[in-house]
Amino acid sequence: MQRLLLPAALASALALAACGGDRPAADAAADGTAAPATGAASGHDFSPEISEADFREMVRTMASDEFEGRAPGSPGGEKTVEYISAQFERIGLQPAGENDSWYQTVPMVQTTASNATVLKLDGAGGERELAFGTEMMIGTRTGQQTVSVSDSELVFVGYGVDAPERGWNDYEGLDVEGKTVVILVNDPGFHTADEDLFDGNRMTYYGRWTYKFEEAARKGADAAIIIHDTPGASYGWDVVRTSWSGAQFDLRAEDDPAPRLPAQGWITNEVARELFANAGLDLDEQIQAASSADFRAVPLDATVSFELESEVVEGSSRNVIGVLPGTGQPEDVVVYMGHWDHLGKHEDGEIYSGAIDNATGIAGIIEIAERFATEEPAPQRSVAFLAVTLEESGLLGSQYYVAHPAFPLENTVAAINLDAMSVAGASRDFVVTGMGNSQLEDILEPIAAAQGRTLVEEGNPAGGFYFRSDHFNFAKAGVPALYAKGGNDLVEGGLEAGRAAGEDYATRYHQPSDVYREEWSLDGLIQDLEALYEVGRVLADDVDQWPNWYEGNPFKSARDEMMDARD
């Protein structure tokens, strides 16, 4: 799901920077080989139903060595987008990309920060230099090769949250222009274990580090630094270090409307404690103080200076977009989505096939598309199928789509995301990641009940997984988005078997061992696809239905503005 492309894929990505987005599905692949077989040529006859045999055929193909781990910009990545578009064409979808093609070109920027960068702190404790990797991580999303910050005043802004609907503003009365803000990770409710504060142990949108950086940019800060703590982040410092070192991918600033800081990064908890102590403050006491709506920002009596040098190179990849036009209100659209990219072929020759993550999701949306295309009557609203790139690099393909949608967002009824589907077998539960967000759950609940299943939240709600897959970009823009899949209470073996399957997959996640396996039990996955098809069918046929977020959700105001614009 999230993070970096492997180094072996990077040169290929750059070499393909000038790739166009309007080649037909039957064209040769980028490396000069024939385009991959789509069905009859491979000896497989596809059926119109949601079929285990069809699903297996597509996952087996996309996770094969021929596709080399589906890295964006690589020959395997090009085979992938051509395979997907050929499947869309076989089904009878219409192309909805650029210039009447299947494709949307996604320009990207590769930025590699110098690991010789140091942060210089100057305060009551004297001058202190923080080392890149061991004590801090820093980077830029601006596309600039050099970012200089000199004697920028450090100010602690608690959780860095401005949430009017919750009566919370950590920036109240504060001007941070020319300053560097220091921020806690996660939400106030997590550190206080107060279930009535934000969402308690469950991370909200405001707990994600991406939000905190964006909010600091909106406020005009020079830079933002998050204080790492393992429980709050749900991962250790090694994850921060490895994720923020090496090449980082992003959209070009001109293609992305989200605000950007000149620089942003992390410091270790140990460094933060020393920084606070030098200012006469106790970090634990400040965490408690920041967990109140009455908190006001605290100067840290120190400044930070740095010169960040980065190598910056541009490249591109492609989203694939097909649509089944509606017969009644075709201007309205229901979106099914999944990311096609994975981690490619490593320099040592190992292939990161990404069978579960996310050949399963792409095969799933294709199966649902074929069901829509062949079942009568045809849907009243249009149904779009979006296979996005660069999810593993920070949800960039979906971010670009939302900034440049093929269908206006105010006409987008909902987004349904398929990512890393369960292959452990039928379950009694149906996991809704981010459960309690939107009225889409009200549609899914009776559908799941008819299958004998109960909706449950994810196992680690503090991890903020709702914000770590592609539907999140739709959510931020206001479009209700559903991310649901098979649960852990398996019909065969119960919770114990479900936990064992989850632990087994955890050892394969983002590893070469995430490969297609004949022994997968797919009866539950087929149920998942049937249920998610039914959700979309309800939305596509009930033209008066416009699901919204539940009250108190931070994305509801954006949806309300959309609905007002339609009136």
Side-chain angles (χ1 to χ4, degrees):
M1 299 174 348
Q2 268 189 335
R3 220 36 280 152
L4 71 164
L5 293 173
L6 296 176
L10 305 185
S12 299
L14 304 176
L16 288 161
C19 275
D22 54 359
R23 285 174 288 175
D27 278 1
D31 62 353
T33 64
T38 61
S42 67
H44 183 82
D45 293 326
F46 287 94
S47 63
E49 305 85 20
I50 292 176
S51 155
E52 180 176 324
D54 293 352
F55 181 88
R56 285 186 180 275
E57 168 67 16
M58 288 185 282
V59 175
R60 185 188 296 112
T61 299
M62 288 184 284
S64 68
D65 286 354
E66 179 187 357
F67 284 66
E68 297 184 333
R70 303 189 308 280
S74 71
E78 290 302 291
K79 283 185 174 73
T80 305
V81 296
E82 289 164 358
Y83 179 81
I84 295 167
S85 62
Q87 294 296 337
F88 284 177
E89 186 172 31
R90 174 186 64 79
I91 289 167
L93 302 184
Q94 294 185 9
E98 301 157 352
N99 305 317
D100 297 322
S101 77
W102 296 104
Y103 308 117
Q104 179 184 50
T105 302
V106 180
M108 60 185 179
V109 177
Q110 173 193 324
T111 303
T112 307
S114 170
N115 58 15
T117 304
V118 296
L119 292 187
K120 296 179 181 179
L121 302 180
D122 193 359
E127 188 172 288
R128 166 96 148 83
E129 291 189 352
L130 304 183
F132 190 93
T134 57
E135 297 176 305
M136 66 82 185
M137 297 301 300
I138 195 162
T140 181
R141 298 182 57 223
T142 63
Q144 295 175 284
Q145 291 182 324
T146 302
V147 175
S148 297
V149 170
S150 179
D151 298 323
S152 178
E153 180 183 340
L154 288 166
V155 57
F156 174 55
V157 295
Y159 291 91
V161 171
D162 185 357
E165 77 281 3
R166 293 180 182 262
W168 195 285
N169 185 2
D170 289 324
Y171 290 94
E172 186 170 343
L174 180 65
D175 181 3
V176 298
E177 289 195 18
K179 300 177 183 179
T180 295
V181 294
V182 179
I183 311 172
L184 298 171
V185 74
N186 215 305
D187 295 312
F190 177 83
H191 288 107
T192 60
D194 183 351
E195 292 299 321
D196 296 325
L197 190 60
F198 278 63
D199 287 357
N201 189 52
R202 176 186 171 195
M203 183 185 286
T204 73
Y205 167 52
Y206 299 113
R208 282 288 288 156
W209 55 267
T210 50
Y211 162 79
K212 296 173 189 291
F213 289 144
E214 289 175 7
E215 191 60 45
R218 281 189 283 270
K219 302 302 186 189
D222 269 351
I225 298 171
I226 291 177
I227 298 170
H228 174 262
D229 78 84
T230 297
S234 291
Y235 42 77
W237 179 256
D238 280 351
V239 173
V240 177
R241 179 179 54 81
T242 57
S243 296
W244 281 66
S245 59
Q248 306 291 299
F249 286 80
D250 216 322
L251 300 181
R252 301 180 306 183
E254 59 265 35
D255 294 322
D256 174 22
R260 300 186 182 207
L261 289 161
Q264 57 195 37
W266 298 69
I267 55 175
T268 66
N269 202 269
E270 293 76 16
V271 166
R273 290 185 181 279
E274 180 182 337
L275 173 64
F276 277 62
N278 288 338
L281 302 169
D282 180 84
L283 178 58
D284 292 327
E285 290 178 358
Q286 289 302 309
I287 290 173
Q288 290 301 313
S291 299
S292 167
D294 296 330
F295 170 79
R296 293 297 175 264
V298 179
L300 293 175
D301 297 331
T303 62
V304 64
S305 302
F306 57 87
E307 185 157 310
L308 174 62
E309 297 288 345
S310 302
E311 180 184 359
V312 180
V313 188
E314 291 195 2
S316 70
S317 187
R318 295 191 284 177
N319 293 333
V320 188
I321 314 172
V323 64
L324 181 67
T327 58
Q329 290 186 196
E331 67 276 11
D332 296 343
V333 62
V334 178
V335 174
Y336 284 90
M337 64 186 306
H339 74 92
W340 61 257
D341 63 302
H342 199 58
L343 302 181
K345 186 175 183 179
H346 209 268
E347 290 175 349
D348 61 7
E350 284 198 293
I351 295 174
Y352 288 65
S353 300
I356 290 176
D357 183 17
N358 185 37
T360 58
I362 294 301
I365 68 170
I366 293 171
E367 281 294 277
I368 290 171
E370 187 155 19
R371 174 82 179 272
F372 267 106
T374 55
E375 186 157 295
E376 296 293 341
Q380 292 291 299
R381 285 167 160 161
S382 296
V383 187
F385 299 88
L386 174 61
V388 295
T389 185
L390 291 164
E391 190 268 1
E392 303 289 359
S393 303
L395 318 183
L396 300 185
S398 57
Q399 183 179 343
Y400 186 84
Y401 176 88
V402 168
H404 307 275
F407 310 94
L409 295 182
E410 62 268 23
N411 291 350
T412 302
V413 181
I416 301 170
N417 184 31
L418 280 67
D419 191 358
M421 305 295 286
S422 172
V423 297
S427 64
R428 300 180 182 90
D429 51 357
F430 205 151
V431 174
V432 178
T433 302
M435 188 170 171
N437 273 323
S438 82
Q439 294 168 351
L440 293 174
E441 297 165 31
D442 300 332
I443 300 172
L444 175 61
E445 186 172 24
I447 294 169
Q451 295 180 333
R453 297 202 284 174
T454 303
L455 303 190
V456 299
E457 68 178 4
E458 68 270 33
N460 178 23
F465 293 103
Y466 187 78
F467 316 115
R468 300 187 185 188
S469 191
D470 285 299
H471 60 273
F472 177 51
N473 285 310
F474 282 82
K476 281 201 301 183
V479 177
L482 180 67
Y483 179 27
K485 53 188 173 181
N488 295 315
D489 186 6
L490 301 184
V491 173
E492 298 291 335
L495 287 170
E496 183 178 352
R499 280 192 293 267
E503 290 168 2
D504 176 71
Y505 176 60
T507 68
R508 306 180 192 281
Y509 172 69
H510 281 195
Q511 299 299 318
S513 55
D514 182 6
V515 296
Y516 170 77
R517 295 173 182 272
E518 287 292 341
E519 63 264 30
W520 285 348
S521 179
L522 297 185
D523 52 342
L525 187 147
I526 298 303
Q527 274 193 315
D528 295 347
L529 297 182
E530 293 281 1
L532 296 175
Y533 164 79
E534 292 294 343
V535 171
R537 189 78 206 198
V538 169
L539 294 169
D541 287 342
D542 185 352
V543 296
D544 294 323
Q545 184 156 192
W546 286 92
N548 205 332
W549 303 95
Y550 293 139
E551 288 295 334
N553 187 283
F555 312 128
K556 188 174 186 301
S557 60
R559 180 62 161 187
D560 291 343
E561 289 177 11
M562 284 183 191
M563 295 299 95
D564 290 344
R566 289 182 57 85
D567 292 341

